[in-house]
Amino acid sequence: MAPKRRWSVNLNLTENDVGYEVLKHKPAPCDMRIVKSVEKQMERKSGYSIKDDAVASAAENKQAVAIRARKQSKAMSIALSPGKQIAMNGFMLWMSGRNLNIFSISITSMAIMSPVKGILSVSNAFRSCEDPDGKVDLTSSKALFVLLNFAWLGVGMYKMATMKLLPLTSADWEGYVVWKDVLETSSIPP
């Protein structure tokens, strides 16, 4: 059995590294100079140092950021769950065929009712991801969730149309056509 290797890459330069002295004398990148000048202006105007404030709350912010990132990733996984259902239900709808039988009707009704329930319960689906401070942005996740549910609903409606369960032709509305009453009749053939 081959020995296990541990790979690690450290991209931070130390004083013993080859290019440390060269990079130490190089100017900071353009954007960093702008950031540093803005920080200095803010320190002059406000009277406190940004670095002191950052050091004091770094541990708290690190944990809060990690929790928010976890909540955001969980919200995105909830938002993408209807996409997985679309593929599974599409395959089941294709396997059920175009004939009217109890299996195809139950699969089609599931493909219609599940996205409708999902759209109506968006707030309940994302309740576990909400942040009491409101710092977790759920609007894009909720919009994606609703969009994928509408796509899933469209797949179900297409299946209903192929099974001739939707009234799409003029013959389906024949019962609502108002026929004119003939007021006169003639014995002369047309």
Side-chain angles (χ1 to χ4, degrees):
M1 182 174 205
K4 291 185 178 179
R5 292 185 180 178
R6 289 186 151 188
W7 293 89
S8 65
V9 177
N10 187 3
L11 299 177
N12 297 324
L13 291 177
T14 59
E15 293 178 6
N16 299 334
D17 290 331
V18 177
Y20 180 77
E21 290 297 323
V22 175
L23 288 176
K24 187 176 177 183
H25 298 295
K26 294 279 181 183
C30 174
D31 295 337
M32 289 306 295
R33 285 181 269 173
I34 295 170
V35 169
K36 286 182 181 180
S37 66
V38 169
E39 282 181 357
K40 287 180 183 177
Q41 288 176 1
M42 288 177 63
E43 286 176 9
R44 278 188 247 128
K45 289 181 182 177
S46 62
Y48 75 92
S49 175
I50 294 174
K51 292 177 184 175
D52 295 339
D53 189 29
V55 170
S57 62
E60 296 172 8
N61 286 340
K62 197 173 193 180
Q63 185 178 10
V65 167
I67 290 171
R68 275 183 289 197
R70 254 184 259 128
K71 286 184 177 183
Q72 189 74 31
S73 67
K74 184 178 180 182
M76 195 53 76
S77 69
I78 291 172
L80 292 174
S81 64
K84 299 170 188 171
Q85 297 292 327
I86 291 172
M88 181 187 68
N89 279 320
F91 179 71
M92 289 172 61
L93 290 170
W94 177 71
M95 289 297 290
S96 69
R98 292 184 180 214
N99 298 331
L100 284 176
N101 54 40
I102 191 69
F103 181 70
S104 63
I105 290 174
S106 66
I107 296 294
T108 306
S109 63
M110 182 185 68
I112 297 295
M113 291 305 295
S114 296
V116 170
K117 287 179 185 176
I119 290 169
L120 294 177
S121 65
V122 172
S123 59
N124 291 339
F126 289 95
R127 186 165 287 156
S128 62
C129 302
E130 290 177 353
D131 191 28
D133 300 334
K135 293 184 177 179
V136 177
D137 182 30
L138 297 177
T139 54
S140 61
S141 299
K142 286 181 179 181
L144 182 62
F145 182 78
V146 170
L147 183 71
L148 286 175
N149 273 313
F150 274 124
W152 185 6
L153 183 64
V155 169
M157 297 295 273
Y158 175 76
K159 178 63 176 182
M160 284 184 71
T162 58
M163 291 172 58
K164 306 295 184 206
L165 292 176
L166 289 180
L168 298 176
T169 62
S170 60
D172 296 326
W173 301 98
E174 187 177 303
Y176 295 104
V177 175
V178 178
W179 296 99
K180 294 182 182 179
D181 292 328
V182 179
L183 297 178
E184 295 180 12
T185 57
S186 170
S187 61
I188 305 173

